[in-house]
Amino acid sequence: MVKKCIICGKEFQGKSNSSRYRSDECRNTPLYTDEINGEQYGHLTVTNAFRKKK
């Protein structure tokens, strides 16, 4: 089945329904999120937040 990579946006041939990454390079790229960008903690403001791999 043809899937779309969540990191680079390119299409690839997925081997299972849960395939999300096109390559190991995409799998190891941090996924940036806008959930907390702009929030302030004391004098600090979050500008770029990303989720680490579990």
Side-chain angles (χ1 to χ4, degrees):
M1 81 184 58
V2 177
K3 305 280 281 189
K4 191 172 187 179
C5 180
I6 65 170
I7 300 295
C8 68
K10 295 180 181 177
E11 292 185 348
F12 66 99
Q13 190 65 33
K15 295 178 181 158
S16 69
N17 287 340
S18 61
S19 297
R20 295 173 30 178
Y21 304 102
R22 181 180 62 87
S23 65
D24 287 337
E25 182 180 340
C26 290
R27 183 182 307 282
N28 294 327
T29 301
L31 181 63
Y32 287 89
T33 179
D34 289 329
E35 290 177 355
I36 61 171
N37 286 350
E39 289 189 10
Q40 291 191 344
Y41 297 96
H43 296 287
L44 303 175
T45 302
V46 177
T47 56
N48 288 325
F50 65 93
R51 296 180 184 195
K52 295 182 180 179
K53 288 180 59 176
K54 292 181 179 180

